[in-house]
Amino acid sequence: MRAWAELLRVSALFTVPGDALAGAAALGVRPNRSTALAVGASLCLYEAGMALNDWADREEDAIDRPHRPIPSGRVSPPAALAAAGVLTAAGLALAARAGRPALAVGTALAATVWSYDLRLKHTAAGPAAMGAARALDVLLGATATLRGGERAAAPARGPAHASSSPTPGGPARTSSRTDGRAPTGGASAGVGAARAAGRWAGLRTALPSAALVGAHTVAVTTVSRREAQGGSTAAPLAALVATGVLGAAAGGASRGGVRDALRRATGAGRRTGSAPAGPQAGPALAGALALVYAGTAGRPLLHAALNPSPPLTQRAVGGGIRAMIPLQAALAARGGSAGVALGVMGLVPLARSFARKVSPT
């Protein structure tokens, strides 16, 4: 069990749920059942990437990291590859349960993960690919949450399409939609077009949060490429500057106006369980959490920039991974979801506790 925990880096798992929750917060919609499915899909795909990463790096790890589960013989290469395949299938199955749009994003995420581990990791495109995977993870949460809101609103729209006539031969026939299905014909096409427009608007609204998470991932991944050898001052220094810029952006003003406009456009008001507008506490909480993020990632990066030894570089990578949680929480608070933000921050002590037993890098 310990070997598999090391292979899958279970201590880093706590940085994953906040992606989907930050995506949901960007829409101003409370997390729903589809959000939970997106979180499950993210966890499976993340772990698939971890298993596949060590399988692809087994020869390199035999030289640089002989203590890792595969080169040490505690986990066989076929078992690691099979785990990656099973976890990928499970992640896509969960994404499919959240709806076709979520499955499309989940498929793109899975393709990015496998492309990174098998092909792009040791190329110049490696950090960008890893950043794209994290950004897609945020969009997966947003897409699934919006789809879940549409499903919740569908039954409420059914009775609105009912009409009645006093006699069977009257000008209007009795027609009642009680099953929650959309009307047929042109009305159905109009509803479908409105939903498609709403989904696209939701993705655009979540893009800034996805971009910030992706940019942070690019910075951490760039530093991690030298964690075994050390010797790079430029990478941690550049990541330190990026941390400051991203922290300022994450602690920016609430996007309540955009969120309200999205709810009006998609009809995702009270029926979809949207969060109350209440942006009063959002900016202050987002700013405080952005400072926590900057401190968590910035301090070890500064140490690694001053002394780029392998141990300090590895600490900088670990700090960057842990900093993902306050960054996600800051983005949730910026979206007006203070409760979600505090819930995400509740994962910090768990991540620290597990990191003492299993390294996240």
Side-chain angles (χ1 to χ4, degrees):
M1 291 296 294
R2 181 174 181 81
W4 279 99
E6 291 178 12
L7 179 76
L8 300 176
R9 297 170 178 83
V10 294
S11 60
L13 269 181
F14 299 98
T15 70
V16 178
D19 286 344
L21 295 173
L27 306 179
V29 179
R30 287 195 185 100
N32 50 43
R33 176 177 176 274
S34 294
T35 312
L37 289 171
V39 170
S42 298
L43 291 170
C44 289
L45 293 175
Y46 187 87
E47 291 291 56
M50 292 298 178
L52 186 63
N53 174 81
D54 276 26
W55 179 84
D57 283 353
R58 61 192 184 280
E59 295 180 359
E60 176 184 332
D61 286 348
I63 299 174
D64 293 335
R65 307 173 186 88
H67 61 281
R68 293 293 300 160
I70 293 180
S72 65
R74 290 176 292 154
V75 175
S76 69
L81 183 60
V86 171
L87 287 166
T88 299
L92 292 178
L94 290 171
R97 292 290 301 276
R100 290 182 180 178
L103 176 59
V105 178
T107 301
L109 173 57
T112 304
V113 169
W114 280 72
S115 297
Y116 172 81
D117 283 332
L118 298 181
R119 183 72 176 177
L120 301 176
K121 181 190 307 183
H122 299 295
T123 70
M130 182 65 81
R134 275 289 189 167
L136 285 169
D137 206 23
V138 176
L139 296 180
L140 174 61
T143 304
T145 301
L146 189 58
R147 177 62 172 165
E150 290 176 353
R151 287 173 173 171
R157 287 196 292 266
H161 302 298
S163 62
S164 62
S165 174
T167 62
R173 296 182 179 177
T174 301
S175 174
S176 177
R177 290 274 186 193
T178 59
D179 58 358
R181 291 178 296 174
T184 60
S188 177
V191 171
R195 287 180 177 176
R199 291 169 194 158
W200 174 239
L203 282 177
R204 286 188 300 174
T205 304
L207 277 176
S209 295
L212 291 178
V213 172
H216 171 75
T217 306
V218 170
V220 175
T221 305
T222 302
V223 176
S224 72
R225 305 184 89 174
R226 300 284 301 180
E227 67 175 327
Q229 298 84 16
S232 173
T233 299
L237 187 59
L240 181 62
V241 173
T243 297
V245 174
L246 295 174
S254 171
R255 302 182 61 84
V258 176
R259 190 175 63 249
D260 293 340
L262 174 66
R263 286 206 299 268
R264 290 193 298 270
T266 60
R270 290 189 298 272
R271 295 174 300 185
T272 63
S274 59
Q280 293 82 359
L285 181 59
L289 292 172
L291 289 176
V292 175
Y293 157 71
T296 303
R299 184 175 180 181
L301 283 172
L302 178 60
H303 292 166
L306 295 175
N307 179 14
S309 63
L312 291 181
T313 303
Q314 291 168 11
R315 289 182 187 176
V317 175
I321 294 173
R322 291 190 299 272
M324 189 72 73
I325 298 177
L327 174 60
Q328 296 158 341
L331 293 175
R334 191 180 73 151
S337 300
V340 172
L342 295 177
V344 171
M345 284 301 294
L347 298 173
V348 170
L350 292 173
R352 287 179 177 174
S353 177
F354 274 78
R356 296 189 186 102
K357 300 177 181 179
V358 180
S359 173
T361 67

